[in-house]
Amino acid sequence: FKLIIYWPKSKVHAKLPCKRLIFRIRAAPCSSVHQHSHPHSIKIPGDITLGGLFPVHARGHAGVPCGEIKKEKGIHRLEAMLYALDQINSDPELLPNITLGARILDTCSRDTYALEQSLTFVQALIQKDTSDIRCSNGEQPIIRKPERVVGVIGASGSSVSIMVANVLRLFEIPQISYASTAPELSDNNRYDFFSRVVPPDSYQAQAMVDIVKALGWNYVSTLASEGNYGESGVDAFVQISREAGGLCIDQSLKIPREPKLGEFDKIIKRLMETPNARGVIIFAHEDDIKQVLEAASKSNLTGQFKFVGSDSWGAKSSPILDQEEVAEGAVTILPKRASIEGFDQYFTTRSLENNRRNIWFAEFWEDDFRCKLTRPGIKIDPEKKKCTGEERISRDSHYEQEGKVQFVIDAVYAMAHALHNMHQDLCPGATGVCDKMEPVEGRLLLSYIHSVNFNGSAGTAVLFNENGDAPGRYDIFQYQMTNTTNPGYRVIGQWTNNLRLNVEEMQWTGGSRQIPDSVCSFPCRLGERKKMVKGVPCCWHCELCDGYQFQVDEFNCEMCPFDMRPTLNRTACRPTPIIKLEWHSPWAVIPLFLAILGILATLSVIITFIRFNDTPIVRAAGRELSYVLLTGIFLIYFITFLMIAEPGTVVCAFRRLLLGLGMCITYSAMLTKTNRIYRIFEQGKKSVTPPKFISPTSQLMITFILISVQVVGVFIWFGVMPPHTIVDYEEQRPPNPELARGILKCDIADLSLICCLSYSIVLMVTCTVYAVKSRGVPETFNEAKPIGFTMYTTCIIWLAFVPIFFGTAQSTEKMFIQTTTLTVSMSLSASVSLGMLYIPKVYVIIFHPEQNMQKRKRSFKAVVQAATMSSRLSQKSISGKQNGETKIEPDRTQ
């Protein structure tokens, strides 16, 4: 016969054309047409029939659809539905006088197989063309109408639910899942007849993002089983983490539906390419989780990866069996649940005798007790234990209620409450199912399902939103082995729209309480800025804010103001210390020592001259100019104290005034002396008339005129630029800011200093020229030669001063070196003048007073004639030596 399926392209069936699928089925003998055999299903009779889809078996291999039995996800959940039906049918308040039946199928954890099985649910809705079917006697066969399934409980895996939902919606059969969490199923346009009592993975993904952030991780990898559950879960996690920010995905790997040999080893190897991403977010089936853990253990990577598992891992023991050390520290998530005591009592009392309605229970019994049942025609392996039937669950085998049992019960109760409310509205006061519920309209039942609100088996509210999703309520577990009396999963937090995580209760590999790192880059230290890696917002390089920069924020450094330097941790700026040349500084000790000695010597000479003011030596030295010259020498020594004193307006003013004045006074007096001598003897060569302006008064006038030029220049400088202090932060600003100092000094630039001394240098050079010209004058009659030696030595000192002074312009000790060089050079030049001109005279005055006696005065003419004769004799003596003759000069010491 033909089965004709009308497949609508849209929910609006009346307006859009339908696809017509026709299945031709071979006719069976009339005697057996009415019999319907379901070797892979459980049939529970009732007034209203519910469908059930459970992964009783795992996926098969090598073309076999079904594999080994799944005790927890399969049998526990299936028995939970049977338990719920028993409770509802025995409840006089819920669906009174109406019995719920069931048709329960095995999906074998495979979506294509589940789709094939789910066609059983729609048989009653398929239009069957029996016109061409006849019995052997020519009569039409009597075909028993299959029971109508009004709603389906299931499926478990999201990929299975999606495949089945696409068929059930065509026939408007509502579906309530107890374990499918793929976000895709929240699409009310595509899966409008799908509901679930577990929250979607979008909530789960949000909870997992919150967990990762609470652990301080920002760089993780994701691992998903190929299919809707794994891929959509990871997609939701990636999307939420991208929107939240601060979390980067290193790698997103997929586990194939049919993994090849060595596939999991390759996955572990890929994860190890970035060992910093220790956190692995895993949305995978429990079989895949187990093989991932096995591959990590095989690669000796126990403790390397820290897994954050979805509800498919939850608190199950099967994924971590024999791999507990690798799984230690794994954080898993599971919709908030409670252990249902009534189910425990029910399930632990099940036996082969009282549970014949479960066609797979015998297979479960063999696997749970590791024995073999006797079957007709099948020999038992003598090496295997024979089942006696007296075994008891929990007593003779390990039993722990599977995590989704609560949700299976809630799903069945949600369907029952919807039918109960529908019956009250459509059949008020009626006993049993009334005509208005024959048949049950699927779209109307769906509206009642979305309206239910009751306390479920765990005492929490069961309700649905407009997309058929349950609210997000999760328990957060961690698998712990050490420091616990009973190793296993421990509840460490909850998530209900926001995270509550007890971090102090967490422990990791080896019992450590320290949260392991899973970051691309560790936080930069204080004073370091982040230089982001392009395209990877969680990865960066740390660069020190070098030089005089400080850290403005985590990404930027800026220069400190010119008068500040960064703190030690470079998070702010602090004032640069201000220094000056201290009296106890090594740079000041030597100049001060020389200056003090010079001042004492100068004062000694002045006192000696004043004491012997009228003696011939003092008078011959030119008393008036000598006192002026000694005053200049004293000021040269004294300026050392001003150069070392703490700068201030008064000190800076006196520095400007006296810096060049002492030298100006000294060399003005010397220039006047040498000029006087030179003019006297040049005039004596021409006539006996003395030159003008050679009297002491004239000499003083000339000296003060020369000095006044310096004084006027300084006062003009005062008017143009009044003296003041500055703090120079550039002079002592080395690469290391810890050595930076601001130098308090007078506002006298190097060029201004040279200009201040330039006039004195001109006087000194001019004096040197006259000294050279006067070198032929006999030493018996003048001071020309001592002055000449003084000027030659002074020039050498100042020629050495210039390269030292300007050669240290780039040194961090510039101010100290230049100040020391200047003061020492001035003290040396003053000492040369004092030593050459006056120390010999003082020596004679004090130690040879007999030479300091009054002699007969000679006229200017006599002096000139004697000097001329002495000059000629000297020239002849030199000429005679050149001709090889030696002449004896007369003794003129008398």
Side-chain angles (χ1 to χ4, degrees):
F1 58 88
K2 295 185 291 182
L3 300 182
I4 304 174
I5 300 177
Y6 292 91
W7 192 305
K9 292 183 179 180
S10 169
K11 291 193 296 183
V12 187
H13 300 174
K15 295 183 179 180
L16 297 178
C18 299
K19 292 183 178 180
R20 190 183 186 199
L21 301 182
I22 301 176
F23 297 86
R24 292 190 178 273
I25 302 176
R26 182 185 303 173
C30 288
S31 61
S32 62
V33 169
H34 67 282
Q35 298 176 2
H36 295 274
S37 174
H38 297 284
H40 296 295
S41 69
I42 295 175
K43 174 69 172 70
I44 306 294
D47 300 322
I48 298 176
T49 302
L50 302 181
L53 292 171
F54 296 93
V56 179
H57 292 86
R59 282 182 300 189
H61 301 285
V64 178
C66 300
E68 69 277 5
I69 195 166
K70 301 180 79 169
K71 296 190 296 182
E72 295 174 343
K73 292 182 69 173
I75 298 299
H76 282 209
R77 294 178 182 180
L78 184 153
E79 288 291 343
M81 181 173 180
L82 297 177
Y83 167 77
L85 290 174
D86 292 345
Q87 295 296 310
I88 293 168
N89 290 334
S90 61
D91 188 344
E93 301 297 329
L94 185 62
L95 290 174
N97 300 315
I98 297 177
T99 302
L100 288 181
R103 172 74 68 183
I104 301 174
L105 305 175
D106 179 11
T107 65
C108 290
S109 306
R110 191 186 297 271
D111 50 3
T112 52
Y113 184 80
L115 177 62
E116 179 185 340
Q117 293 293 303
S118 65
L119 292 176
T120 304
F121 298 146
V122 299
Q123 284 184 4
L125 303 177
I126 296 177
Q127 177 185 348
K128 300 173 183 175
D129 184 3
T130 60
S131 58
D132 58 347
I133 299 177
R134 294 288 184 272
C135 292
S136 57
N137 58 5
E139 297 181 357
Q140 284 190 339
I142 301 173
I143 301 176
R144 188 178 67 186
K145 189 175 181 180
E147 76 275 4
R148 183 185 180 96
V149 174
V150 299
V152 174
I153 306 301
S156 177
S158 294
S159 57
V160 175
S161 287
I162 288 173
M163 189 72 80
V164 173
N166 283 318
V167 172
L168 296 182
R169 72 182 292 268
L170 300 178
F171 298 93
E172 297 187 345
I173 299 177
Q175 174 186 2
I176 302 178
S177 174
Y178 50 82
S180 298
T181 56
E184 183 180 350
L185 289 165
S186 296
D187 187 350
N188 198 34
N189 294 320
R190 294 180 59 192
Y191 306 104
D192 46 341
F193 280 83
F194 177 84
S195 303
R196 50 188 164 189
V197 291
V198 290
D201 284 339
S202 54
Y203 295 156
Q204 184 174 199
Q206 179 65 65
M208 296 172 83
V209 168
D210 292 345
I211 291 171
V212 169
K213 288 196 167 188
L215 295 176
W217 298 350
N218 66 6
Y219 196 53
V220 296
S221 297
T222 61
L223 187 57
S225 292
E226 189 175 10
N228 294 95
Y229 171 75
E231 294 180 43
S232 59
V234 165
D235 289 344
F237 179 86
V238 171
Q239 179 66 27
I240 292 171
S241 65
R242 185 180 295 117
E243 292 173 357
L247 182 59
C248 298
I249 310 301
D250 171 42
Q251 298 186 77
S252 288
L253 306 180
K254 290 182 183 178
I255 302 172
R257 292 179 188 271
E258 304 291 340
K260 299 178 182 178
L261 186 66
E263 189 71 39
F264 291 93
D265 295 330
K266 292 179 182 178
I267 290 173
I268 294 299
K269 187 176 180 180
R270 286 278 307 277
L271 290 174
M272 279 304 296
E273 290 176 1
T274 49
N276 279 3
R278 298 180 66 187
V280 179
I281 312 304
I282 183 166
F283 278 85
H285 304 303
E286 59 182 89
D287 297 335
D288 293 337
I289 294 170
K290 185 176 182 63
Q291 294 191 67
V292 168
L293 297 178
E294 288 176 353
S297 176
K298 181 180 175 182
S299 300
N300 294 322
L301 293 174
T302 300
Q304 167 63 27
F305 300 113
K306 302 304 173 186
F307 297 98
V308 178
S310 61
D311 59 344
S312 62
W313 184 335
K316 299 188 186 79
S317 58
S318 55
I320 62 171
L321 187 64
D322 301 326
Q323 303 300 331
E324 289 83 357
E325 291 184 0
V326 183
E328 185 178 10
V331 178
T332 61
I333 190 170
L334 193 64
K336 198 170 186 62
R337 64 184 177 91
S339 182
I340 310 302
E341 293 184 6
F343 176 79
D344 289 339
Q345 296 173 1
Y346 162 82
F347 190 73
T348 53
T349 58
R350 297 299 90 191
S351 66
L352 294 172
E353 290 75 18
N354 64 15
N355 198 22
R356 296 184 181 278
R357 61 182 178 179
N358 185 346
I359 62 173
W360 297 289
F361 196 72
E363 188 179 353
F364 162 80
W365 195 270
E366 290 180 326
D367 187 81
D368 194 43
F369 296 108
R370 301 181 185 276
C371 62
K372 277 292 182 180
L373 290 170
T374 304
R375 291 186 177 85
I378 300 177
K379 292 184 179 181
I380 299 177
D381 190 341
E383 295 183 0
K384 292 188 177 180
K385 184 178 67 173
K386 181 181 178 181
C387 298
T388 63
E390 299 300 323
E391 298 91 352
R392 288 296 176 262
I393 298 171
S394 181
R395 186 192 70 184
D396 301 316
S397 65
H398 174 73
Y399 166 74
E400 183 180 355
Q401 188 180 123
E402 199 274 334
K404 293 293 196 306
V405 164
Q406 169 198 336
F407 301 106
V408 175
I409 296 172
D410 287 345
V412 177
Y413 265 88
M415 193 71 76
H417 276 281
L419 289 169
H420 178 82
N421 295 336
M422 185 179 184
H423 182 268
Q424 285 186 328
D425 291 343
L426 299 181
C427 310
T431 301
V433 180
C434 66
D435 294 338
K436 290 184 178 180
M437 291 183 66
E438 283 284 358
V440 174
E441 185 182 346
R443 189 167 294 277
L444 181 60
L445 176 60
L446 178 66
S447 66
Y448 279 100
I449 290 174
H450 285 179
S451 300
V452 298
N453 190 341
F454 64 96
N455 288 330
S457 56
T460 56
V462 177
L463 65 159
F464 304 95
N465 63 13
E466 65 277 6
N467 295 322
D469 295 329
R473 293 188 292 261
Y474 296 96
D475 282 324
I476 301 168
F477 297 85
Q478 187 182 41
Y479 185 75
Q480 299 178 357
M481 290 182 60
T482 55
N483 299 333
T484 57
T485 55
N486 185 23
Y489 294 98
R490 181 177 180 181
V491 177
I492 57 170
Q494 295 84 33
W495 190 93
T496 50
N497 296 324
N498 55 71
L499 178 67
R500 295 188 300 276
L501 187 66
N502 300 320
V503 178
E504 63 276 3
E505 295 183 6
M506 302 180 74
Q507 62 182 34
W508 307 88
T509 304
S512 172
R513 298 284 180 177
Q514 179 68 35
I515 298 175
D517 295 313
S518 184
V519 295
C520 180
S521 302
F522 289 98
C524 293
R525 292 174 295 181
L526 291 175
E528 294 180 339
R529 72 180 184 93
K530 292 181 180 178
K531 185 178 181 182
M532 305 304 297
V533 176
K534 188 175 181 180
V536 189
C538 298
C539 298
W540 58 81
H541 302 297
C542 294
E543 290 186 348
L544 180 67
C545 296
D546 56 356
Y548 289 82
Q549 294 180 328
F550 74 101
Q551 186 179 8
V552 181
D553 51 44
E554 60 179 334
F555 300 106
N556 298 292
C557 297
E558 287 185 2
M559 291 292 293
C560 286
F562 75 97
D563 59 342
M564 304 184 82
R565 60 177 180 168
T567 56
L568 289 174
N569 58 16
R570 294 183 177 272
T571 56
C573 293
R574 52 179 171 162
T576 301
I578 298 173
I579 62 171
K580 60 182 180 62
L581 186 57
E582 301 291 344
W583 296 102
H584 55 78
S585 169
W587 296 104
V589 170
I590 295 176
L592 288 172
F593 178 73
L594 293 176
I596 292 171
L597 288 181
I599 288 174
L600 292 176
T602 303
L603 291 175
S604 299
V605 172
I606 292 174
I607 293 170
T608 301
F609 268 48
I610 293 174
R611 173 69 178 79
F612 300 94
N613 188 53
D614 292 325
T615 59
I617 290 179
V618 175
R619 292 172 63 188
R623 290 175 298 185
E624 297 79 5
L625 283 180
S626 292
Y627 290 132
V628 172
L629 197 149
L630 288 169
T631 301
I633 292 173
F634 177 84
L635 292 178
I636 291 174
Y637 286 125
F638 181 74
I639 193 64
T640 298
F641 295 92
L642 291 176
M643 295 300 293
I644 296 174
E646 181 175 349
T649 303
V650 175
V651 171
C652 292
F654 276 103
R655 278 190 191 180
R656 288 192 191 182
L657 179 62
L658 300 181
L659 185 61
L661 185 60
M663 292 179 63
C664 177
I665 292 173
T666 301
Y667 296 122
S668 293
M670 284 190 187
L671 177 58
T672 303
K673 275 192 173 189
T674 54
N675 175 265
R676 175 176 175 270
I677 295 170
Y678 175 76
R679 287 189 297 113
I680 288 174
F681 288 99
E682 283 298 315
Q683 182 68 20
K685 294 178 183 179
K686 300 175 184 178
S687 72
V688 295
T689 306
K692 298 179 181 179
F693 310 115
I694 63 173
S695 65
T697 303
S698 300
Q699 296 295 295
L700 288 175
M701 291 297 295
I702 294 170
T703 301
F704 287 128
I705 290 171
L706 293 174
I707 294 171
S708 65
V709 175
Q710 174 76 22
V711 175
V712 170
V714 171
F715 277 99
I716 292 173
W717 188 10
F718 283 163
V720 174
M721 187 182 296
H724 61 280
T725 59
I726 60 169
V727 179
D728 188 347
Y729 292 98
E730 297 296 332
E731 183 173 312
Q732 197 160 332
R733 194 176 175 88
N736 184 1
E738 289 304 306
L739 303 178
R741 299 292 185 270
I743 300 176
L744 178 64
K745 62 182 182 179
C746 294
D747 188 21
I748 303 176
D750 293 346
L751 183 60
S752 300
L753 180 66
I754 295 303
C755 290
C756 181
L757 297 174
S758 61
Y759 181 62
S760 299
I761 293 172
V762 169
L763 294 176
M764 182 177 63
V765 172
T766 306
C767 187
T768 304
V769 171
Y770 276 111
V772 172
K773 288 184 176 183
S774 303
R775 68 185 183 281
V777 177
E779 59 188 18
T780 309
F781 303 102
N782 61 81
E783 295 177 307
K785 288 187 178 180
I787 291 175
F789 286 127
T790 299
M791 299 317 300
Y792 305 151
T793 307
T794 303
C795 287
I796 292 172
I797 292 171
W798 287 97
L799 285 174
F801 160 78
V802 172
I804 295 174
F805 187 85
F806 290 101
T808 58
Q810 302 302 321
S811 173
T812 56
E813 305 287 339
K814 170 187 172 183
M815 191 268 288
F816 303 140
I817 295 174
Q818 289 186 344
T819 301
T820 301
T821 303
L822 177 62
T823 52
V824 168
S825 297
M826 294 182 73
S827 293
L828 288 177
S829 61
S831 298
V832 168
S833 300
L834 187 65
M836 292 284 189
L837 298 179
Y838 294 105
I839 296 300
K841 294 179 174 58
V842 172
Y843 176 78
V844 172
I845 292 172
I846 296 175
F847 297 103
H848 296 283
E850 70 279 2
Q851 295 182 14
N852 192 19
M853 302 297 293
Q854 183 68 39
K855 296 183 180 180
R856 179 177 60 86
K857 290 185 178 181
R858 293 186 292 180
S859 64
F860 174 75
K861 180 179 179 181
V863 172
V864 172
Q865 286 177 348
T868 303
M869 181 62 69
S870 175
S871 177
R872 289 174 180 173
L873 288 173
S874 297
Q875 291 175 358
K876 287 181 180 181
S877 174
I878 294 170
S879 176
K881 287 180 182 179
Q882 290 175 351
N883 294 330
E885 299 176 359
T886 303
K887 293 186 179 181
I888 300 174
E889 296 227 19
D891 185 6
R892 294 175 291 183
T893 59
Q894 293 86 1

